[in-house]
Amino acid sequence: MEQKKQNPTAENETLIVSRRIQRVSLHLAPVPRPLHEHDTQEQLGLFPCARSLKLEVETEKLSLYMRGKYREIQEKIYEYFHARPELQTPLGISKDDHRELCWRQMYGLIKEAGIRPLKYVVEDPGKYFAIVEAAGAVDISLGIKLGVQYSLWGGSVINLGTKKHKDKYFGGIDSLEYPGCFAMTELHHGSNVQGLQTVATFDPITDEFIINTPSDGAIKWWIGNAAVHGKFASVFAKLMLPAHDAKGVSDMGVHAFIVPIRDLKTHQVLPGIEIHDCGHKVGLNGVDNGALRFTSVRIPRDNLLNRFGDVSRDGKYTSSLPTINKRFAATLGELVGGRVALASSSTSILKIANAIAIRYSLLRQQFGPPKQPEVSILDYQSQQHKLMPMLASTYAFHFATSYLVEIYSQMKTTHVEQLVGDVHTLSAGLKAYVTSYTAKSLSVCREACGGHGYAAVNRFGILRNDHDIFQTFEGDNTVLLQQVAADLLKQYKQKFQGGTLAVTWNYLRESMNTYLSQPNPVTARWEGTEHLRDPKFQLDAFRYRTSRLLQSAAVRLRKHSKTLGGFGAWNRCLNHLLTLAESHIESVILAKFIEAVEKCPDASTRAALKLVCDLYALNQIWNDIGTYRNVDYVAPNKAKAIHKLTDYLSFQVRNIAKELVDAFDLPNHVTRAPIAMQSEAYAQYTQYVGF
């Protein structure tokens, strides 16, 4: 029988496929290199160079440096819930049961654990935010419910009211006798607070304000604590005074009013008030969001929170601030604490997700060299690229939000006008940037844990759903970033007019001319490790990018304003402006991280933080390397060196990853770490999946 001729094309394809399979196999199971006489068997690991240079990190010292003076009160909260498993939120809890459990959690924290947050809202905001962070680590719904009661409802009374309001309401709010809510958002108006339609008309005959919801669009919507537990509401409405003109009333702008919504004894809804339940949500179902409609609800004149504007018995309006816009700005300026809290809480949630994903990745083993044990999945470069820059960002956010809390606390005690503006813009930017990053990272962490990450017991789904709304409430992130961009443009204008710049923006005055000059062709080619790890190079690169974006945005806005007008020009350049705002916030984050590294008193802890800081900085530069290459700020070989060093730093951070996440000091019942991590979590997991 004649032998068939072999098809040369098929033979070539077979060889090509064979070679590709062989190459993939070598990636998954690299051939060990020959041993030299100075080698040891231990050096045959996947990344021997990285392992041999592992830093020594004392977790306790690192944790103490990070958590500082508020560690004790957070431990008290963790210990309280650990000792009361009946107050820990079970999987699959119904909406109604979750709401009641969340109330019992808050009630227990106040009444049994003796945590009284309200006084810290003004006296020590850092301690208040630490309380909310710890409570949110137990259940994010609890952290939000605490925030509604003490920061929003309580904070509005303290910050927008005067002594008479504090004397009357402080004790009841603090003890939970007066549970309340914060009624600002309406069905048709969220971000545009000046456009609110609810009205409060003064009646000089009875010395009362009459609260009315004039249309369906004016119904107060998404109001936390309203559906079930709230008995009072801080209602934001347009203050209308009688006038002797064709309109018959004068609009004095948006003010806040204390409005009782339920009877203190019977808990029945009061006359003229309709309360509707907003129902089941994507997350945060422990918080009872509701809708409020007011029909001729009368409240005493004294219920006007009158710090920035008051009405006398005869209906005359007085204020220390001359215009509606200034009063509005002052009112909202006192409420930025909510944004500060969200930036801090979002960072806390990112810590939890990091701890779960990285601990899992350290212990989970898959594949390995032939006839050798399987290796940790965190030894794979792809897993390191997912998680190590994220861990570095988490540390960066920690120090940036700690700085924000610090200057917010200074603002509350000093009321320095320049500091007020700085806090307002920085809180907007950090809240937007951090919450957006965390939202994306939660999905990455879930994916990094494979199928086990999809189990509800491992918290990723719960964290992702509960955190998602952080991007929207206390200011939509896109709107907040525009506020940052607007302030940058204002500072840019003042820079050329010789005006005073806010503290965080000083670099615009100090170095803008340097940043906007042509890149130095020599330094653009420096690619040594010492240079790339120099904080000055890193921060200069961040600020250079921000300054170029700022200058080009100003030029584009000026050009388009001539044909499109101010609003049209802003809309035409909107994506550019959002990128500018994010770039500036990244510069602030890096600056505060570098400061934290330099201030660290312990040498080994400082070395570990420096490593993490370098990874954060160089990874950010690499992620936007196109921008730096387009203007020759970084030469091609330098770009390659940055990429190579970023990989190396990821390997190094991987080797101390356990110590870095342990320094978050999160108890087991908070992280609920995945299978094979701890006996308690394993028992929960196997029970949940029915093993």
Side-chain angles (χ1 to χ4, degrees):
M1 188 174 181
E2 186 178 76
Q3 189 176 4
K4 291 184 179 179
K5 291 185 179 180
Q6 196 156 0
N7 187 331
T9 304
E11 182 180 8
N12 290 340
E13 288 179 354
T14 301
L15 288 171
I16 291 170
V17 170
S18 178
R19 282 198 298 270
R20 286 179 177 174
I21 292 173
Q22 186 179 18
R23 286 173 182 172
V24 172
S25 299
L26 286 172
H27 279 299
L28 292 173
V31 177
R33 61 181 176 83
L35 282 174
H36 297 289
E37 53 186 32
H38 61 272
D39 287 331
T40 63
Q41 184 64 36
E42 192 175 334
Q43 287 179 300
L44 289 174
L46 205 56
F47 300 117
C49 61
R51 285 182 178 152
S52 63
L53 297 174
K54 179 178 177 179
L55 292 170
E56 294 297 326
V57 182
E58 293 188 47
T59 302
E60 181 65 22
K61 288 183 178 179
L62 178 55
S63 181
L64 184 62
Y65 182 62
M66 291 184 67
R67 294 181 64 190
K69 58 184 178 179
Y70 302 122
R71 187 175 184 177
E72 185 178 341
I73 196 164
Q74 289 190 322
E75 289 296 335
K76 185 177 180 180
I77 293 170
Y78 292 144
E79 289 169 6
Y80 171 76
F81 284 104
H82 184 61
R84 287 163 178 77
E86 74 278 5
L87 291 181
Q88 294 178 27
T89 308
L91 297 172
I93 187 172
S94 70
K95 169 179 66 68
D96 293 340
D97 288 346
H98 196 178
R99 289 174 172 181
E100 288 311 308
L101 175 61
C102 197
W103 171 260
R104 286 192 287 114
Q105 288 172 334
M106 183 165 69
Y107 191 86
L109 200 59
I110 305 307
K111 297 292 189 179
E112 295 178 12
I115 305 292
R116 291 299 181 95
L118 188 56
K119 66 179 179 180
Y120 302 126
V121 170
V122 174
E123 294 178 9
D124 190 352
K127 195 168 189 176
Y128 169 75
F129 294 133
I131 292 169
V132 173
E133 178 182 335
V138 174
D139 186 330
I140 300 178
S141 286
L142 173 60
I144 297 301
K145 199 167 182 72
L146 272 173
V148 171
Q149 174 67 14
Y150 293 105
S151 181
L152 295 180
W153 155 233
S156 63
V157 173
I158 293 172
N159 294 318
L160 302 181
T162 49
K163 185 177 182 299
K164 63 184 178 182
H165 300 110
K166 296 170 193 174
D167 291 345
K168 183 174 181 179
Y169 292 99
F170 187 99
I173 296 172
D174 193 42
S175 66
L176 288 182
E177 182 184 351
Y178 294 167
C181 41
F182 184 82
M184 177 182 280
T185 299
E186 295 178 355
L187 186 59
H188 285 179
H189 287 88
S191 298
N192 182 14
V193 179
Q194 278 188 296
L196 295 179
Q197 297 175 356
T198 302
V199 293
T201 306
F202 181 63
D203 182 350
I205 298 174
T206 61
D207 196 27
E208 294 173 317
F209 285 102
I210 306 170
I211 312 295
N212 271 299
T213 302
S215 66
D216 288 349
I219 295 172
K220 297 296 182 182
W221 205 267
W222 294 123
I223 310 304
N225 274 0
V228 179
H229 298 124
K231 295 183 178 180
F232 293 88
S234 292
V235 177
F236 287 77
K238 292 187 293 185
L239 195 163
M240 313 297 285
L241 293 177
H244 302 290
D245 57 20
K247 292 183 178 179
V249 290
S250 294
D251 182 354
M252 308 309 296
V254 173
H255 289 63
F257 303 82
I258 296 175
V259 181
I261 60 174
R262 287 186 175 93
D263 187 274
L264 281 174
K265 294 181 179 178
T266 66
H267 203 63
Q268 294 298 307
V269 177
L270 295 173
I273 294 172
E274 295 177 45
I275 302 178
H276 299 277
D277 196 325
C278 288
H280 199 278
K281 307 184 294 291
V282 170
L284 293 179
N285 282 298
V287 182
D288 51 313
N289 294 87
L292 300 172
R293 181 195 287 271
F294 305 97
T295 304
S296 299
V297 176
R298 290 179 173 267
I299 58 172
R301 178 169 54 89
D302 278 350
N303 282 28
L304 166 66
L305 294 171
N306 61 339
R307 178 180 171 188
F308 298 116
D310 202 3
V311 176
S312 64
R313 177 66 184 85
D314 58 357
K316 291 183 180 178
Y317 185 84
T318 56
S319 174
S320 58
L321 301 170
T323 66
I324 287 178
N325 286 340
K326 286 188 178 295
R327 292 193 292 271
F328 178 74
T331 298
L332 290 193
E334 287 298 321
L335 303 174
V336 298
R339 294 174 185 171
V340 178
L342 284 182
S344 179
S345 296
S346 184
T347 302
S348 174
I349 292 166
L350 189 56
K351 290 176 185 176
I352 295 170
N354 268 267
I356 298 172
I358 289 171
R359 287 173 179 166
Y360 176 84
S361 298
L362 283 165
L363 291 173
R364 178 71 166 181
Q365 296 179 336
Q366 292 287 288
F367 305 109
K371 298 181 181 179
Q372 293 188 33
E374 291 185 308
V375 300
S376 160
I377 62 173
L378 199 55
D379 278 334
Y380 288 99
Q381 191 182 62
S382 57
Q383 193 80 343
Q384 291 170 5
H385 279 192
K386 287 178 183 177
L387 298 179
M388 295 305 97
M390 186 191 302
L391 179 58
S393 294
T394 306
Y395 268 80
F397 296 167
H398 169 86
F399 292 115
T401 54
S402 296
Y403 168 73
L404 176 60
V405 169
E406 179 185 329
I407 61 171
Y408 174 78
S409 300
Q410 292 175 10
M411 182 199 78
K412 296 299 290 182
T413 55
T414 64
H415 301 287
V416 175
E417 185 175 350
Q418 186 174 339
L419 198 57
V420 171
D422 208 34
V423 169
H424 181 267
T425 306
L426 187 56
S427 64
L430 276 175
K431 182 269 182 185
Y433 189 90
V434 172
T435 58
S436 293
Y437 184 94
T438 299
K440 296 180 181 74
S441 298
L442 287 167
S443 289
V444 173
C445 285
R446 203 291 303 157
E447 293 166 13
C449 292
H452 290 311
Y454 201 60
V457 70
N458 292 327
R459 292 198 75 184
F460 290 125
I462 297 167
L463 291 173
R464 186 169 55 187
N465 290 347
D466 284 352
H467 176 273
D468 194 59
I469 193 61
F470 280 39
Q471 300 173 92
T472 303
F473 61 23
E474 293 294 334
D476 176 86
N477 283 357
T478 302
V479 175
L480 294 182
L481 288 174
Q482 289 180 71
Q483 291 180 15
V484 176
D487 201 64
L488 277 165
L489 289 162
K490 177 183 174 183
Q491 301 288 337
Y492 179 77
K493 183 178 180 182
Q494 287 182 332
K495 186 261 181 190
F496 292 106
Q497 293 178 346
T500 302
L501 272 71
V503 177
T504 311
W505 284 258
N506 275 338
Y507 71 85
L508 293 176
R509 176 183 300 287
E510 295 168 357
S511 306
M512 168 100 37
N513 292 335
T514 302
Y515 296 143
L516 296 182
S517 62
Q518 290 298 314
N520 186 325
V522 176
T523 58
R525 284 163 174 76
W526 286 354
E527 54 189 79
T529 299
E530 185 177 349
H531 166 67
L532 296 180
R533 296 189 67 176
D534 184 347
K536 185 179 186 307
F537 158 70
Q538 296 165 1
L539 197 53
D540 280 354
F542 276 52
R543 289 174 168 177
Y544 176 84
R545 176 178 181 245
T546 303
S547 297
R548 287 195 68 89
L549 285 165
L550 178 55
Q551 185 199 41
S552 56
V555 170
R556 288 187 66 203
L557 284 169
R558 192 179 304 117
K559 171 188 173 183
H560 291 304
S561 293
K562 296 175 182 178
T563 55
L564 301 175
F567 180 85
W570 187 270
N571 195 37
R572 174 66 65 87
C573 301
L574 189 51
N575 287 337
H576 187 155
L577 294 167
L578 296 176
T579 303
L580 164 64
E582 290 175 342
S583 177
H584 169 67
I585 294 302
E586 288 169 358
S587 297
V588 175
I589 291 170
L590 178 59
K592 297 309 160 189
F593 200 171
I594 291 171
E595 284 181 20
V597 173
E598 292 171 347
K599 290 178 181 177
C600 183
D602 178 69
S604 62
T605 302
R606 186 168 60 252
L609 289 174
K610 177 68 169 70
L611 175 66
V612 177
C613 185
D614 288 342
L615 175 57
Y616 171 76
L618 293 176
N619 184 70
Q620 291 295 115
I621 292 171
W622 175 251
N623 285 342
D624 199 38
I625 198 67
T627 296
Y628 296 105
R629 285 289 303 115
N630 285 342
V631 294
D632 289 326
Y633 189 84
V634 170
N637 284 345
K638 187 171 187 174
K640 292 178 182 177
I642 290 171
H643 188 204
K644 183 177 180 180
L645 182 55
T646 302
D647 283 347
Y648 175 75
L649 294 174
S650 288
F651 301 155
Q652 291 291 318
V653 171
R654 172 257 177 270
N655 286 331
I656 58 171
K658 180 183 183 301
E659 290 85 352
L660 291 172
V661 296
D662 285 350
F664 296 152
D665 209 11
L666 296 166
N668 289 343
H669 68 279
V670 167
T671 57
R672 293 183 194 165
I675 184 170
M677 219 158 289
Q678 61 210 29
S679 58
E680 180 186 6
Y682 184 74
Q684 288 178 333
Y685 180 85
T686 52
Q687 181 182 8
Y688 178 70
V689 299
F691 287 171

